[in-house]
Amino acid sequence: MNSHRILDHPVLGKLTIEKEIPFTFDGKKYTGYEGDTIASALLAQGIRTLRVHEESGSPRGIYCNIGHCFECRVTVDGTPGIRACLTELNPDMIIESGKQQFSPFKSTENQDDLPRTYAEFEKQLKGEKEDEPDV
Amino acid sequence: MTNKNHAEVAIIGGGIVGCAIAYYVAKAGIDCMLIEKGDLASGTSSRCDGNITIVDKDPGFDSLMSLASQELTAELEKDLYLPFEYRTQGSILVCDNDAEMEVANEWVNIQNQAGLKFKLLDHSDIRQESPYFADDIPGGLECETDSLINPYLFCYSLIDRAKEYGLKLHTRAEVKQVSKKEEFLIETTNGSFTAKKVVNAAGVWAPFIGKMLDIEIPIKPRKGHIMVGGRQKPIIMRNVMEFGYLMNKFQRERIADPETLKHGVALVLEPTESQNFLIGSSRQFVGFDARVDFNVVQTMARRALRFFPKLDDFNIIRTYTGFRPWTEDHLPIISAVEEVPGFYIAAGHEGDGISLATITGKLIEEMISGKETTISIEPLRYDRFKRKVVHM
Amino acid sequence: MYDVLIIGAGPAGLSAAIAAREWNLNVLVIDEFLKPGGRLLGQLHQEPDGKWWNGIEESKILLEKAKELNTDIRCGISAHTIEKTDHGFSVYTNEGILEAENLLIATGAAESPAPIPGWTLPGVMSIGAAQVMTNVHRVRVGKKGIVVGVNVLSVAIAREMQLAGIDLECMALPAINSATESHGSPKKVMKALLRIAHLAPSTAIRFGSRFMKGDGTKALAVKFFPKSGVKMWGMPIHLRKAVTRINGTNQVESVTICDITADGEIIPGSERNIEVDFVCIAGGLYPLAELAAVIGCPFQYIEELGGHVPVHNEQMETPLEGLFVAGNITGIESAKVARAQGTLAGLSIAKRKGQNLAKLENQIQQAKMNVRTIRENATIQFHPGIEKGRSRMEEAYYDIVHG
Ligand SMILES: Cc1cc2nc3c(=O)[nH]c(=O)nc-3n(C[C@H](O)[C@H](O)[C@H](O)COP(=O)(O)OP(=O)(O)OC[C@H]3O[C@@H](n4cnc5c(N)ncnc54)[C@H](O)[C@@H]3O)c2cc1C
Ligand SMILES: Cc1cc2nc3c(=O)[nH]c(=O)nc-3n(C[C@H](O)[C@H](O)[C@H](O)COP(=O)(O)OP(=O)(O)OC[C@H]3O[C@@H](n4cnc5c(N)ncnc54)[C@H](O)[C@@H]3O)c2cc1C
Ligand code: FES
């Protein structure tokens, strides 16, 4: 689709496309252009949300676009924490957005409820799921 | 009547120890002030882990002191308004090899005999602790009463409450000169103050304050590194250290690779409330050189991977260093100083300042008020070092 | 072991590499971005004589020159930390450890964040992010947006977005909070804005500059600043309006804007929402100097240079033997100055290798003069009193090395 490209520019001239690059993001197929970063290829498709905040789940996209803020972290071919704004798009990259993570220590109101071991944490997790079958 | 620049008691140093003292002294209704050269918790207390542990203390006086501190911290959770990420989940030690496992077994027996809640963990218990542990870890041990805090928040929380009890706070005031006539005169970069009594809680910088009154304080900086691992999936629920940590701490012989031994590296992994991971740590005498030493960091990372091999794709977001205020016998100095009546020292907690802050605060308040102390203060006396010199 | 490793392939790093290669040094340039050029790549301004300063073209010229000299330039490599060794430096990167006898840090500048509530929503970005998307990647950052923060850089980039056909509602200030302080004060912003009046064919701004003779009259300029803003290239710039909030659920949907007094205080009841789908925040630039800090290079805080700057002399040497700095890491200035500084640094490094000293010394003197001339004639100035800042740095260097 790439509908957000600036094809014509009064000073910089016409956009020359050397090569198309296929990739997937969260399981869907897209194409970008040679010279794209992951962030630019996604934005060209209108995709702005690259991850959600690990705790709150609120959406995040690029901020600085030059590698300083680490807001654009995605998982590329299984490696997490990759900055989308610095990383060159390569053919057939499998890109996953950053997901919400568990916060097992947030309920400090009752100390006894805190899981002590990972096994306890998993048990609590299962318990929650049984409580709310629709999630 | 309250004079901003005068107090009955002046506390120098706004680290965790100074803040705890300020809290207990103010709470006792004594007119007091805290003088700090930077912001609160700008020294070692913001460059450390947050463990309040017994698991690593020698049975006897050391563990007794920690237990008293743990109980006080639990009380504080009720009296302080600002939360400080307090978690009582216990903590564990893991062993690298069977030899360590044997010593660990003895350790648990000794601690149990002392009435402390210790338990030996076998291989399958370790799997329950975390699925990320290496398969060849033979076991470890647990101390049930250990807890965790965020030391930085704790300092602010203590002072917030202490101010309500009447504490006067002077930050960005570096003490340059202390002298004594009828009362103490404390000159700082942000005004001069007077006080009847002075508590030196300047941590690793306490010797400099001592010198201003011609008092020699045998505390040396023992540097430690910490890496902060970025948030990812949960790995483990509570603080874990390796048993080798104890060997280092008490300078006993330990089997590990040369780099690990050279930099005094032992695994400490603390999952914080925000799900970052503090990975430590090292122990080195290199003066006040605060630079991050990459060799040390690499050695620490290797050590972490020994126990958590699946952490190899973790993001390290930052590395920092701190100076533990070390004393020769690994106990702090919590004491009056005979040579200068009215002058107290509360410093030298080395790697236990977080664990021992509350009891230290309480003891100093009791000494100032002339009360009977919660625990014996004999082993903590300032003149113990001098006595030793005489005997040699 | 390289004679010199250069971190950063911006105008400073590239021109340093060229100078060092001309003296036959063994050079490696690394950069974490996927193409060389640094922040120069995104630049596109019209000079007062009407010619375009086209960063992509300017980068190409540097790059071609470097290639003619067989310069080794590697992209996609981030330097994480540096260590001083007995023979020079070890630079730790995502691609392993690199060793060099001399090191030039030319990492440029970064943007200060100016947080306003809602700024984490997708569709909110720094003004520099929009520049790179628009001019380097040729991707539109949105349909209609607003620029929050009025300074040299944001005015220039707003113009660039307009050229690319992106619709901007207006430019306005961020509401004052502890983090946005100086960017939220109309008086301070006005002062800064007047320094770029020559770039803006705007009568209102020239009107303002008449008031700028004395300090007391600056307040007047703000007072008389038209309520409807002034227009530059048809786009309103507001100094008496501030954005208090960015709204939206999954991405930017609107901003809340209000009227402010000349001191930046919100006039109650003036809030209203404007629909936009992107927001660019401009918080100003500061030197990106962490790498110099980790090896223990001394620093000096100099406001005119943009903040904490590694101490260095006019030849771009730091007090640490073999460590050089050039470009925006030494203070925020235009790309032309960075380029000239790079040449000078490259020559200084060659001098340390001790070749043909008389000829080299002559070139160094010329390069120094060149930096000064370019600085004096700069059309874009980020901070006032840059010369004053530079001489304070000379003093700081002298104090550390000789004092
Ligand atoms: C890597 C590392 C990990 C650690 N982990 C743990 C742990 O898990 N559990 C534990 O119990 N302990 C731990 N510790 C130890 C603990 O951090 C210290 O013992 C404790 O922080 C010491 O506190 P303090 O208040 O004595 O010193 P500080 O926090 O250093 O406070 C002293 C204060 O005095 C101020 N000061 C100095 N000079 C002056 C002056 N002239 N005028 C005014 N103010 C002055 C300083 O600015 C400073 O704020 C760790 C330490 C390190 C380095
Ligand atoms: C967002 C932004 C927009 C700007 N826009 C303009 C403008 O429109 N007009 C103008 O005159 N000036 C602009 N500037 C100022 C700009 O800094 C200078 O014009 C000039 O580009 C500085 O050149 P430099 O070589 O010092 O640094 P840069 O051009 O910034 O180059 C530094 C290079 O170092 C690389 N780098 C940084 N850290 C590392 C690391 N750890 N490892 C590896 N590589 C690293 C970066 O990827 C970058 O390519 C802008 C600056 C910024 C930050
Ligand atoms: S957007 Fe800031 S690091 Fe990528």
Side-chain angles (χ1 to χ4, degrees):
Chain A
M1 190 174 85
N2 281 306
S3 65
H4 298 260
R5 296 280 172 181
I6 301 160
L7 298 172
D8 261 315
H9 192 288
V11 186
L12 299 174
K14 272 202 179 342
L15 179 65
T16 45
I17 297 157
E18 308 268 322
K19 208 172 117 196
E20 293 200 340
I21 307 216
F23 67 100
T24 59
F25 178 69
D26 282 347
K28 271 202 197 138
K29 286 191 165 44
Y30 300 96
T31 46
Y33 298 148
E34 193 171 59
D36 262 331
T37 57
I38 292 174
S40 70
L42 287 169
L43 191 61
Q45 308 281 348
I47 296 169
R48 287 175 159 186
T49 301
L50 301 177
R51 52 180 265 268
V52 296
H53 186 259
E54 288 82 351
E55 194 172 305
S56 65
S58 62
R60 297 293 157 92
I62 57 160
Y63 184 74
C64 74
N65 203 20
I66 52 171
H68 300 156
C69 72
F70 285 77
E71 279 297 304
C72 61
R73 303 186 302 270
V74 291
T75 299
V76 177
D77 297 332
T79 307
I82 302 286
R83 285 171 283 178
C85 71
L86 278 191
T87 308
E88 187 168 6
L89 184 72
N90 283 330
D92 304 320
M93 265 184 168
I94 297 176
I95 305 159
E96 297 280 332
S97 60
K99 305 288 184 309
Q100 192 169 4
Q101 300 283 351
F102 301 109
S103 300
F105 310 142
K106 272 297 165 190
S107 60
T108 35
E109 265 160 42
N110 190 351
Q111 290 284 348
D112 295 336
D113 291 347
L114 284 177
R116 287 182 170 233
T117 65
Y118 196 92
E120 277 179 32
F121 158 66
E122 276 187 318
K123 216 158 125 204
Q124 286 184 1
L125 217 60
K126 275 198 201 120
E128 267 169 37
K129 281 198 185 126
E130 275 156 27
D131 287 349
E132 305 161 55
D134 49 9
V135 218
Chain B
M1 228 203 58
T2 54
N3 176 349
K4 207 170 127 270
N5 295 327
H6 173 83
E8 178 74 19
V9 176
I11 301 145
I12 300 173
I16 193 163
V17 172
C19 293
I21 297 169
Y23 168 83
Y24 283 105
V25 172
K27 191 176 181 183
I30 301 167
D31 174 29
C32 60
M33 65 166 76
L34 184 102
I35 305 170
E36 161 58 48
K37 79 172 165 199
D39 285 318
L40 291 177
S42 54
T44 310
S45 301
S46 57
R47 332 195 111 251
C48 54
D49 285 300
N51 297 304
I52 303 188
T53 47
I54 298 181
V55 78
D56 53 344
K57 306 287 181 290
D58 261 341
F61 183 74
D62 288 25
S63 53
L64 181 74
M65 213 168 142
S66 283
L67 188 62
S69 224
Q70 284 181 349
E71 286 163 9
L72 289 172
T73 310
E75 279 174 25
L76 284 182
E77 214 218 348
K78 299 190 185 84
D79 193 48
L80 302 186
Y81 298 142
L82 304 177
F84 48 93
E85 301 184 356
Y86 179 54
R87 276 156 48 203
T88 56
Q89 295 167 297
S91 80
I92 63 169
L93 294 183
V94 287
C95 294
D96 178 45
N97 48 53
D98 290 336
E100 282 188 6
M101 206 51 210
E102 263 170 48
V103 189
N105 195 3
E106 277 173 45
W107 188 255
V108 169
N109 287 336
I110 300 170
Q111 299 280 19
N112 281 342
Q113 274 158 25
L116 297 164
K117 294 184 175 168
F118 275 58
K119 199 178 107 191
L120 201 67
L121 304 175
D122 62 16
H123 183 260
S124 70
D125 294 326
I126 292 294
R127 298 235 62 84
Q128 299 276 302
E129 287 292 333
S130 167
Y132 295 91
F133 268 130
D135 270 336
D136 64 346
I137 295 175
L141 59 94
E142 177 203 27
C143 175
E144 200 185 299
T145 55
D146 285 353
S147 54
L148 266 173
I149 58 170
N150 177 330
Y152 183 80
L153 294 180
F154 191 55
C155 289
Y156 279 86
S157 187
L158 283 165
I159 294 304
D160 164 71
R161 194 75 171 102
K163 278 188 351 235
E164 282 205 355
Y165 290 130
L167 172 79
K168 290 170 265 195
L169 177 64
H170 300 281
T171 53
R172 308 205 164 275
E174 180 176 356
V175 174
K176 288 288 192 186
Q177 203 50 255
V178 185
S179 52
K180 193 188 174 196
K181 291 205 182 86
E182 286 100 75
E183 49 187 22
F184 288 92
L185 174 66
I186 305 155
E187 292 162 72
T188 80
T189 50
N190 196 5
S192 294
F193 307 98
T194 51
K196 295 246 173 61
K197 289 171 180 162
V198 168
V199 184
N200 177 1
V204 82
W205 299 277
F208 301 113
I209 304 290
K211 218 179 213 153
M212 297 173 191
L213 290 161
D214 275 330
I215 295 295
E216 198 181 312
I217 304 177
I219 290 175
K220 281 205 285 183
R222 196 176 196 189
K223 181 178 174 180
H225 286 73
I226 286 186
M227 294 184 273
V228 187
R231 175 178 187 123
Q232 243 194 359
K233 55 206 164 203
I235 297 167
I236 190 164
M237 298 298 120
R238 51 181 164 173
N239 187 66
V240 53
M241 291 185 267
E242 65 167 301
F243 198 76
Y245 174 85
L246 289 191
M247 306 291 199
N248 266 339
K249 189 173 150 157
F250 300 106
Q251 286 164 357
R252 284 180 196 156
E253 197 171 340
R254 168 185 176 214
I255 313 158
D257 66 90
E259 285 281 296
T260 299
L261 293 177
K262 181 175 150 208
H263 306 307
V265 167
L267 169 86
V268 184
L269 190 145
E270 177 192 323
T272 67
E273 182 170 305
S274 57
Q275 283 290 322
N276 284 335
F277 292 87
L278 305 183
I279 301 172
S281 72
S282 59
R283 287 168 186 265
Q284 295 168 288
F285 292 109
V286 289
F288 282 96
D289 181 350
R291 280 175 299 178
V292 169
D293 180 340
F294 205 72
N295 286 322
V296 176
V297 174
Q298 273 183 324
T299 310
M300 277 167 32
R302 259 205 315 276
R303 202 61 198 159
L305 290 178
R306 152 72 189 97
F307 292 97
F308 292 97
K310 290 177 209 156
L311 287 193
D312 61 350
D313 63 351
F314 253 65
N315 263 331
I316 298 301
I317 53 184
R318 162 167 83 246
T319 305
Y320 57 80
T321 65
F323 298 116
R324 302 179 187 87
W326 174 91
T327 68
E328 203 177 37
D329 61 4
H330 305 287
L331 283 178
I333 306 167
I334 304 176
S335 174
V337 177
E338 263 168 41
E339 293 88 327
V340 186
F343 186 56
Y344 297 79
I345 300 171
H349 295 70
E350 203 192 341
D352 301 325
I354 309 308
S355 301
L356 302 180
T358 44
I359 184 67
T360 304
K362 184 103 172 109
L363 288 174
I364 289 283
E365 182 272 310
E366 289 165 345
M367 287 156 78
I368 285 174
S369 310
K371 296 177 192 159
E372 195 184 322
T373 53
T374 307
I375 59 169
S376 158
I377 48 173
E378 258 318 289
L380 307 172
R381 286 174 65 112
Y382 163 66
D383 58 12
R384 68 185 193 263
F385 300 102
K386 263 191 291 178
R387 282 193 311 245
K388 196 172 158 201
V389 174
V390 174
H391 288 310
M392 277 199 327
Chain C
M1 176 76 106
Y2 295 93
D3 291 333
V4 55
L5 177 72
I6 299 175
I7 307 178
L14 286 178
S15 55
I18 291 167
R21 281 300 299 144
E22 277 171 343
W23 281 91
N24 242 327
L25 264 52
N26 183 6
V27 179
L28 173 65
V29 187
I30 60 166
D31 196 297
E32 61 183 358
F33 197 59
L34 72 173
K35 343 184 158 166
R39 305 290 83 82
L40 178 56
L41 285 172
Q43 298 179 16
L44 191 63
H45 334 284
Q46 206 162 15
E47 304 271 12
D49 65 5
K51 286 201 193 108
W52 285 95
W53 170 257
N54 178 339
I56 293 180
E57 290 305 320
E58 295 296 335
S59 304
K60 245 186 224 157
I61 295 170
L62 284 174
L63 207 58
E64 265 155 31
K65 187 91 212 250
K67 276 194 186 140
E68 270 168 35
L69 294 161
N70 288 322
T71 314
D72 190 354
I73 302 174
R74 297 185 208 161
C75 287
I77 301 189
S78 281
H80 300 316
T81 187
I82 306 170
E83 228 168 29
K84 186 102 182 70
T85 62
D86 292 343
H87 313 290
F89 301 88
S90 296
V91 176
Y92 291 78
T93 75
N94 54 328
E95 306 258 305
I97 302 169
L98 301 165
E99 309 265 348
E101 200 177 311
N102 297 286
L103 181 66
L104 172 65
I105 310 185
T107 44
E111 281 184 84
S112 313
I116 20 183
W119 76 313
T120 58
L121 281 169
V124 182
M125 69 200 82
S126 75
I127 188 78
Q131 183 181 46
V132 175
M133 277 300 175
T134 309
N135 297 338
V136 182
H137 301 306
R138 300 283 289 267
V139 175
R140 229 173 248 122
V141 291
K143 290 201 185 66
K144 189 173 125 195
I146 183 169
V147 175
V148 184
V150 180
N151 58 36
V152 187
L153 189 63
S154 69
V155 171
I157 299 176
R159 170 71 178 141
E160 292 166 19
M161 285 197 269
Q162 266 191 330
L163 276 176
I166 298 165
D167 190 9
L168 283 174
E169 169 76 25
C170 64
M171 300 181 72
L173 302 189
I176 288 193
N177 60 40
S178 60
T180 60
E181 231 172 321
S182 63
H183 310 290
S185 154
K187 281 181 192 155
K188 285 190 188 143
V189 172
M190 183 71 187
K191 207 167 130 191
L193 201 55
L194 288 164
R195 290 204 312 279
I196 48 166
H198 58 288
L199 288 179
S202 157
T203 43
I205 286 197
R206 272 191 246 117
F207 159 87
S209 65
R210 268 192 280 135
F211 288 100
M212 294 306 285
K213 306 267 152 40
D215 240 15
T217 48
K218 272 172 204 149
L220 275 180
V222 177
K223 203 161 169 201
F224 289 121
F225 200 86
K227 275 267 170 350
S228 57
V230 298
K231 284 196 172 151
M232 271 202 202
W233 306 290
M235 176 192 53
I237 300 182
H238 297 292
L239 297 191
R240 297 291 296 276
K241 287 188 171 52
V243 171
T244 53
R245 208 159 9 96
I246 303 167
N247 314 302
T249 1
N250 290 320
Q251 58 172 330
V252 176
E253 289 161 17
S254 69
V255 293
T256 305
I257 197 167
C258 61
D259 297 335
I260 53 174
T261 67
D263 290 316
E265 276 161 39
I266 293 171
I267 296 169
S270 64
E271 290 91 351
R272 64 213 170 272
N273 283 359
I274 301 179
E275 270 180 40
V276 289
D277 73 342
F278 74 94
V279 177
C280 294
I281 297 184
L285 301 176
Y286 68 91
L288 190 63
E290 278 129 349
L291 288 175
V294 296
I295 27 172
C297 180
F299 273 64
Q300 184 79 20
Y301 183 84
I302 299 180
E303 204 181 330
E304 292 88 349
L305 300 183
H308 292 278
V309 176
V311 170
H312 62 279
N313 64 12
E314 208 182 347
Q315 285 87 259
M316 306 282 127
E317 291 170 293
T318 73
L320 285 195
E321 216 184 315
L323 177 69
F324 296 77
V325 286
N328 271 206
I329 186 178
T330 73
I332 306 302
E333 293 189 75
S334 74
K336 287 182 187 167
V337 176
R339 191 171 59 183
Q341 285 180 318
T343 305
L344 176 54
L347 294 171
S348 293
I349 294 166
K351 184 178 165 190
R352 202 167 168 258
K353 289 294 285 184
Q355 311 172 23
N356 198 341
L357 287 177
K359 187 173 168 209
L360 194 46
E361 192 53 48
N362 192 19
Q363 286 191 5
I364 290 179
Q365 289 314 320
Q366 268 177 11
K368 247 197 239 181
M369 287 299 294
N370 198 32
V371 172
R372 283 191 213 151
T373 324
I374 290 176
R375 177 170 295 139
E376 276 160 27
N377 299 327
T379 42
I380 286 200
Q381 248 194 35
F382 291 90
H383 290 270
I386 190 87
E387 264 116 0
K388 197 169 118 214
R390 292 284 168 202
S391 55
R392 277 188 55 204
M393 179 52 82
E394 280 291 303
E395 286 161 27
Y397 181 85
Y398 190 86
D399 284 350
I400 285 177
V401 175
H402 308 287

